[in-house]
Amino acid sequence: MRTMPKMHKLICDTFCEIYSQIEHYCDDSFWDFGQHEPVAGSVTVISRQTFNQHYVRIKELAESGFFYPVLANPTEGSITLKHQCERLGLIDLLKQGRMALVGCGDMEPELPHLFYDSYLCKPYEYEENVNQCARIDEIYAKLTKPYKFLFLNGRTRPHRKYMIESLRPILNQALWTNLDSSPVYNHTYQTDLLGHPTEIQLLPAKYEVPQFHNGLKQSYQNSFVMNELFNDLWGAIYIQAEPYIDTYFSVITETVCDYPYSLRSEKIYKPIAMGHPWIAVANRGFYRDIQNQGFQTYSSLIDESFDTIDNNQDRLDRIVAVVRDLCQQDLAEFLVAAKQTSKYNQQHMADLGPRIRAEFPQQFLRFVEQTFNLK
């Protein structure tokens, strides 16, 4: 079993999301960096909250070569983690190999990062979700459904708003949500559709997770209603079978679309866990990357060539055309044909999640040793 080189201690922030997984390899820990005495030559794993609060001191120590900080934020990744590093002025330190990242998405090779596919493990960590996912056969037993597709949208992002507006002519055929009415002004799309508010759209009560029924209101205090709807809990991780049973496929608007490095969040892993066919609205190469994880896609039933389109708006336009075309087909026949792939993916996810968890500590130790050239 790999451990840290003797000359370099491993120290971890107890607020860090990976602390419980690496604590047995740690030489020490801290809960308040302001009271912590940094150790020379150590690899110090630091949470997002601590980095935000103490980034000036952390940067000074890293620039001097005193220690090797690792920003571990496995609930962010890809462009979201890069933006965080840009905001804190950390990009040069990363490129110089003086610090490293752990996140849930991929990034440019010159930014030292460990892609920890943490969201793959999360849906099955909730017993309620496991019980709902066991209802997969109800999806395929009900061939006449009230809606054609499931289309869930949380925080406003340019690609989500673009998809809502582009699919609007057929949204009456969808079970869909929009939890953020904010307009979008900073984007690269050639359209006038994004600069105005979009109405809040919630699931009917029969489709919402029961514990959040009290959050279903006619009006909200904020334009982004997720916190009010879910009572400040991570409501998006919960699975309720009924929306999947009453639709033939999901249209997933992932977190990342305009950045050519993948992030796979609960948005894609919930329909996979439920055994529901899906079309992903994401970055170029998203399908390639998820196939590399051993998942199967629906290429025999859906034209997935959009995954190779570089231009973001062209890729979205092609996805819109694919969704519209699928809605005109015999969806009962489609569902029957998709069942084997969906069941395979559900089982693969159930098998892969525990393996990712188990393998992470050793992957992490190899990563920091190689990144910082520790001996």
Side-chain angles (χ1 to χ4, degrees):
M1 183 172 63
R2 180 182 293 267
T3 58
M4 288 286 292
K6 292 182 179 179
M7 296 297 293
H8 303 278
K9 293 184 179 298
L10 179 62
I11 300 173
C12 191
D13 182 350
T14 58
F15 284 106
C16 185
E17 294 167 273
I18 65 171
Y19 173 65
S20 62
Q21 293 171 264
I22 65 171
E23 63 176 316
H24 296 300
Y25 301 88
C26 292
D27 298 286
D28 201 358
S29 63
F30 64 90
W31 64 272
D32 181 353
F33 192 77
Q35 301 296 318
H36 172 62
E37 187 65 37
V39 176
S42 67
V43 173
T44 303
V45 186
I46 305 172
S47 68
R48 174 182 59 84
Q49 297 90 334
T50 299
F51 241 103
N52 286 338
Q53 186 176 1
H54 298 284
Y55 70 94
V56 173
R57 183 181 178 213
I58 294 169
K59 285 171 61 177
E60 289 175 350
L61 292 170
E63 287 169 346
S64 69
F66 182 82
F67 75 165
Y68 305 100
V70 178
L71 169 56
N73 188 9
T75 58
E76 298 290 350
S78 191
I79 192 63
T80 61
L81 188 54
K82 183 179 180 181
H83 282 165
Q84 181 181 349
C85 293
E86 289 173 340
R87 179 173 56 82
L88 298 179
L90 304 175
I91 296 297
D92 286 343
L93 281 176
L94 287 165
K95 291 181 176 179
Q96 295 163 8
R98 294 180 181 271
M99 70 168 287
L101 305 170
V102 176
C104 65
D106 215 341
M107 304 173 76
E108 292 92 335
E110 62 266 26
L111 303 179
H113 65 280
L114 176 60
F115 185 171
Y116 178 29
D117 208 353
S118 61
Y119 281 100
L120 187 148
C121 311
K122 293 183 183 297
Y124 288 136
E125 292 177 350
Y126 295 77
E127 184 178 355
E128 307 97 311
N129 288 353
V130 174
N131 293 335
Q132 293 297 309
C133 292
R135 300 172 61 189
I136 179 175
D137 288 336
E138 296 180 50
I139 295 174
Y140 296 93
K142 188 173 185 178
L143 295 180
T144 301
K145 302 178 185 289
Y147 302 97
K148 291 186 176 180
F149 63 98
L150 182 62
F151 182 45
L152 304 178
N153 298 278
R155 185 179 297 278
T156 289
R157 297 185 186 274
H159 63 286
R160 289 184 185 145
K161 193 168 178 64
Y162 189 88
M163 289 297 296
I164 290 172
E165 298 303 332
S166 298
L167 290 173
R168 193 169 290 280
I170 60 171
L171 285 183
N172 62 331
Q173 303 173 40
L175 184 59
W176 69 288
T177 65
N178 176 52
L179 304 185
D180 191 345
S181 63
S182 304
V184 174
Y185 299 111
N186 297 317
H187 62 84
T188 60
Y189 302 149
Q190 301 301 309
T191 179
D192 296 326
L193 294 175
L194 308 190
H196 59 82
T198 303
E199 74 277 14
I200 297 295
Q201 177 80 14
L202 305 177
L203 290 174
K206 64 179 288 189
Y207 293 115
E208 187 54 86
V209 175
Q211 74 181 90
F212 300 122
H213 282 182
N214 290 339
L216 294 167
K217 303 175 183 177
Q218 295 298 316
S219 61
Y220 293 87
Q221 295 180 352
N222 302 296
S223 59
F224 181 50
V225 305
M226 185 174 286
N227 290 337
E228 295 175 72
L229 172 62
F230 296 137
N231 194 29
D232 292 325
L233 298 174
W234 186 25
I237 190 58
Y238 289 96
I239 297 173
Q240 184 71 14
E242 276 69 20
Y244 300 94
I245 293 169
D246 276 357
T247 55
Y248 294 94
F249 65 98
S250 290
V251 177
I252 307 300
T253 49
E254 256 298 354
T255 302
V256 173
C257 181
D258 297 352
Y259 181 66
Y261 298 94
S262 292
L263 184 157
R264 298 186 290 274
S265 73
E266 85 286 349
K267 299 168 190 64
I268 185 62
Y269 286 129
K270 283 170 61 178
I272 290 177
M274 191 64 226
H276 202 232
W278 48 269
I279 296 172
V281 183
N283 56 286
R284 182 190 188 278
F286 181 87
Y287 277 68
R288 172 203 63 209
D289 293 339
I290 203 164
Q291 288 165 357
N292 287 341
Q293 277 287 73
F295 291 100
Q296 297 177 359
T297 60
Y298 301 88
S299 57
S300 64
L301 304 172
I302 299 171
D303 179 5
E304 298 172 351
S305 61
F306 53 77
D307 193 55
T308 63
I309 298 176
D310 284 313
N311 182 276
N312 298 314
Q313 186 166 351
D314 290 347
R315 189 169 61 258
L316 296 190
D317 287 340
R318 181 59 195 148
I319 295 172
V320 169
V322 168
V323 173
R324 287 177 171 173
D325 179 66
L326 187 55
C327 285
Q328 293 174 359
Q329 297 179 28
D330 184 335
L331 286 174
E333 182 179 321
F334 162 82
L335 192 67
V336 171
K339 182 177 179 179
Q340 183 176 352
T341 296
S342 298
K343 284 215 161 190
Y344 167 83
N345 284 340
Q346 185 190 57
Q347 186 60 53
H348 181 64
M349 180 174 166
D351 295 339
L352 185 59
R355 191 160 78 242
I356 286 176
R357 288 282 197 207
E359 293 174 353
F360 174 74
Q362 291 297 304
Q363 289 178 341
F364 173 78
L365 293 174
R366 285 195 298 270
F367 166 70
V368 296
E369 185 176 339
Q370 293 168 4
T371 299
F372 299 126
N373 194 26
L374 304 181
K375 299 178 181 179

